[in-house]
């Protein structure tokens, strides 16, 4: 828990002198999907925060920090980015010179089939003269599946790949941490919190570093300090051809008459950059006015905190498509006179989508998620930029199995503008009433079985493994799905 004292101070730090946004977001261009659903975890008193989420092929993968009983890194998978299963702890405190207190703040990229995780840990108290939880450093581990990790240079004696300047060792400062990494143009790019200035121990910055191998980054004192503050995530949007940052700002920054402590809150905002280095801006008041008026991802309620925000990306840190999906921590915030632990049990992971402004046809959905409107009983699966209809409840249950409740109810005005749908029956066997021919649907194509023997061979001798559709249902499927010949 000590770690959270330093994290909350840095992760919620005000970014003085940040940039005016390059584009604006309006209220009807964002959608709040609520808390993520962690299988087997309901209304518990543990905190969850700092999620790194990747869409990898047909599944989503997430690594995040969970209290157990101290900060550890957890992993889970999902088919829709909202409902998560197979939860498991993949990194935990260990008896070595660095990790006896906590491991946290994971950031993951996939390069050449190898997963690279960057995370933070503080010097163990019995190994250093600093107080417990300080002198944080950044570490790296690799994996072939995202679950079993090999730390650099060894699991028994992990060593930092980025560390604070030697002159600030044992000075009681936070150090360096909260790494966020992307892989672009053949090199790793890291943004992290630098809170170890030799000449000003109260100064925090978002620092930027590059590396060809993920191990050698150079001295932290020489890294570019691109913004004041800390706890920012930076990824790349190919559609905008810009770097995009999410960061947290409190609602008292730059205000002549700030809200009272009873309404104190933190919210998530956006910035962009052409090169990832120059995030030009003005004074705090100007930054606050610009960000809060036109560029806020979340708008706070009294006593709320929304922070540790991260983008959904592909394996290299690219933001897919024309919609930002942002995972962030939301919960109550302690009063200034209180210890943060008074409210930390309320901190949960949440998801919000934010459209890229001034681009046509923006969507609020993640591929693979099941959606319906409150005014309709129809369920759809999001297939890229289309909504794919289920023919009936039986096909929905067949595709989703025991997870039949994994759908989200959204306003009709969000779902109605989505381009035309096709009938989604992937992986199912279907037939027309009165016909002996059985087809197998793969993606958006139907394939026929050459014989009953071939059907049994493909379906483990289960002669009932098909759906008989009504003539009307089959006609609609036939009209929307081409015939691709015999099943390969």
């Amino acid at each position: 828990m000590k770690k959270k004292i330093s994290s909350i101070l840095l992760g919620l730090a005000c970014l003085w002198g940040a940039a005016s946004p390059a584009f604006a977001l309006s209220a009807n261009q964002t959608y709040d999907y609520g808390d993520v659903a962690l299988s087997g975890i309901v209304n518990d008193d543990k905190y969850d925060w700092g999620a790194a989420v990747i869409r990898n092929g047909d599944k989503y993968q997430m690594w995040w920090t969970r209290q157990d009983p101290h900060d550890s890194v957890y992993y889970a998978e999902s088919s829709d980015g909202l409902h998560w299963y197979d939860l498991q702890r993949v990194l935990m405190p260990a008896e070595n010179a660095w990790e006896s207190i906590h491991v946290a703040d994971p950031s993951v990229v996939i390069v050449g089939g190898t997963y690279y995780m960057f995370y933070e840990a503080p010097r163990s108290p019995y190994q250093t003269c600093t107080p417990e939880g300080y002198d944080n450093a950044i570490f790296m581990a690799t994996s072939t599946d995202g679950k079993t990790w090999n730390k650099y240079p060894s699991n028994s004696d992990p060593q930092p790949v980025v560390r604070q300047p030697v002159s600030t060792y044992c000075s009681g400062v936070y150090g360096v941490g909260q790494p966020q990494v992307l892989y672009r143009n053949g090199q790793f790019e890291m943004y992290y919190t630098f809170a170890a200035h030799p000449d000003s121990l109260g100064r925090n910055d978002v620092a930027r570093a590059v590396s060809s191998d993920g191990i050698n980054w150079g001295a932290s004192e020489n890294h570019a300090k691109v913004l004041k503050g800390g706890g920012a995530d930076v990824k790349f949007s190919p559609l905008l051809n810009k770097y995009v940052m999410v960061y947290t700002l409190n609602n008292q920054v730059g205000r002549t008459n700030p809200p009272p402590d009873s309404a104190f809150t933190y919210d998530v905002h956006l910035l962009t950059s052409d090169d990832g280095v120059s995030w030009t801006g003005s004074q705090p008041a100007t930054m606050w006015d610009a960000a809060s008026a036109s560029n806020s991802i979340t708008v706070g309620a009294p006593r709320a905190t929304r922070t540790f925000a991260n983008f959904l990306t592909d394996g290299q840190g690219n933001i897919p498509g024309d919609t930002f999906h942002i995972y962030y921590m939301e919960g109550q915030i302690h009063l200034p006179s209180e210890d943060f632990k008074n409210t930390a049990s309320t901190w949960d992971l949440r998801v919000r989508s934010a459209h890229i402004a001034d681009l046509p046809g923006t969507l609020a959905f993640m591929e693979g998620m099941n959606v319906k409107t409150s005014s309709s009983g129809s369920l759809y699966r999001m297939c890229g930029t289309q909504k794919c209809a289920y023919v009936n409840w039986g096909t929905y249950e067949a595709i989703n199995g025991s997870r039949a409740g994994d759908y989200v109810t959204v306003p009709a005005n969000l779902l109605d503008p989505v381009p035309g749908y096709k009938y989604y029956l992937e992986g199912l066997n279907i037939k027309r009433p009165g016909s002996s021919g059985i087809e197998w649907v793969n993606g958006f194509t139907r394939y026929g079985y050459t014989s009953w023997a071939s059907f049994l061979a493909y379906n483990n001798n289960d002669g009932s493994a098909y759906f008989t559709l009504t003539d009307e249902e089959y006609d609609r499927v036939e009209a929307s799905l081409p015939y691709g010949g015999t099943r390969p």
Side-chain angles (χ1 to χ4, degrees), residues 2-14 134 174 178 193 195 204 229-231 250 266 307-308 334 340 347:
K2 289 287 187 180
K3 186 266 177 185
K4 295 298 295 181
I5 296 175
S6 55
S7 286
I8 201 67
L9 292 175
L10 289 162
L12 305 183
C14 306
Y134 291 84
Y174 169 82
Q178 302 175 338
T193 297
N204 305 330
N250 73 54
Y266 288 95
T307 186
F308 298 111
H334 59 284
F340 79 94
W347 298 349

Side-chain angles (χ1 to χ4, degrees), residues 401-483:
S402 62
R403 304 169 185 176
D406 287 1
Y407 61 86
V408 177
T409 302
V410 300
N413 65 343
L414 278 182
L415 194 57
D416 290 344
V418 175
Y421 57 82
K422 295 187 177 182
Y423 286 93
Y424 187 90
L425 298 162
E426 184 170 357
L428 296 184
N429 299 307
I430 59 173
K431 67 184 295 290
R432 181 190 289 275
S435 170
S436 60
I438 300 177
E439 295 174 333
W440 171 66
V441 179
N442 180 24
F444 293 128
T445 305
R446 297 171 294 129
Y447 296 91
Y449 290 95
T450 56
S451 66
W452 181 249
S454 67
F455 172 83
L456 292 176
Y458 277 112
N459 292 281
N460 298 316
N461 289 315
D462 182 358
S464 63
Y466 61 85
F467 283 88
T468 301
L469 306 180
T470 67
D471 282 325
E472 181 183 6
E473 289 173 339
Y474 191 90
D475 287 342
R476 284 183 290 172
V477 172
E478 190 175 43
S480 62
L481 304 182
Y483 184 75

Side-chain angles (χ1 to χ4, degrees), residues 21-320:
F23 56 91
L25 294 172
S26 60
N28 62 1
Q29 290 176 302
T30 67
Y31 187 74
D32 182 4
Y33 286 109
D35 291 347
V36 304
L38 302 175
S39 178
I41 298 177
V42 181
N43 298 325
D44 71 326
D45 60 355
K46 308 294 186 181
Y47 51 65
D48 297 283
W49 57 276
V53 187
I54 288 175
R55 181 167 176 84
N56 186 11
D58 61 353
K59 68 181 177 182
Y60 294 83
Q61 296 178 284
M62 178 170 70
W63 300 261
W64 79 100
T65 305
R66 178 169 171 79
Q67 180 184 3
D68 191 15
H70 303 292
D71 290 1
S72 299
V73 176
Y74 269 70
Y75 171 82
E77 294 182 359
S78 172
S79 61
D80 64 1
L82 297 174
H83 303 86
W84 296 88
Y85 298 88
D86 304 321
L87 279 65
Q88 53 191 286
R89 187 166 64 162
V90 295
L91 282 185
M92 62 194 76
E95 290 303 320
N96 57 56
W98 287 97
E99 299 176 337
S100 67
I101 302 174
H102 75 259
V103 289
D105 294 305
S107 179
V108 178
V109 292
I110 307 173
V111 180
T114 298
Y115 292 79
Y116 292 80
M117 178 191 292
F118 298 85
Y119 64 98
E120 76 165 43
R123 286 283 280 181
S124 298
Y126 58 84
Q127 294 281 347
T128 179
C129 58
T130 62
E132 180 180 309
Y134 291 84
D135 271 18
N136 283 271
I138 296 171
F139 298 79
M140 188 268 284
T142 58
S143 172
T144 58
D145 62 3
K147 304 173 187 177
T148 302
W149 293 90
N150 296 306
K151 302 170 186 175
Y152 170 83
S154 71
N155 286 336
S156 60
D157 187 27
Q159 294 298 312
V161 295
V162 179
R163 195 175 177 189
Q164 68 199 69
V166 175
S167 59
T168 64
Y169 289 1
C170 300
S171 60
V173 297
Y174 169 82
V176 299
Q178 302 175 338
Q180 298 297 332
V181 179
L182 63 154
Y183 188 80
R184 180 167 166 76
N185 297 326
Q187 66 180 5
F188 297 88
E189 301 182 25
M190 178 191 294
Y191 293 80
Y192 67 93
T193 297
F194 182 95
H197 283 280
D199 58 341
S200 178
L201 296 182
R203 175 183 166 194
N204 305 330
D205 287 292
V206 177
R208 180 182 186 272
V210 297
S211 171
S212 61
D213 58 7
I215 299 171
N216 299 289
W217 296 87
S220 62
E221 56 265 39
N222 297 328
H223 294 162
K225 310 304 186 291
V226 299
L227 277 178
K228 306 300 182 189
D233 182 27
V234 176
K235 295 298 187 282
F236 189 79
S237 169
L239 196 58
L240 288 177
N241 194 31
K242 292 179 181 292
Y243 290 83
V244 186
M245 177 187 291
V246 283
Y247 69 97
T248 300
L249 186 68
N250 73 54
N251 65 344
Q252 297 186 332
V253 175
R255 288 190 166 186
T256 304
N257 297 304
D261 288 341
S262 60
F264 191 75
T265 186
Y266 288 95
D267 299 306
V268 179
H269 300 262
L270 281 175
L271 293 175
T272 63
S273 170
D274 291 327
D275 59 6
V277 177
S278 301
W279 308 77
T280 56
S282 185
Q283 298 302 310
T286 302
M287 180 208 42
W288 165 253
D289 291 342
S292 64
S294 62
N295 212 41
S296 178
I297 297 299
T298 63
V299 178
R303 311 295 328 134
T305 178
R306 297 173 173 91
T307 186
F308 298 111
N310 299 91
F311 292 106
L312 166 68
T313 68
D314 65 13
Q316 287 73 54
N318 295 304
I319 299 170

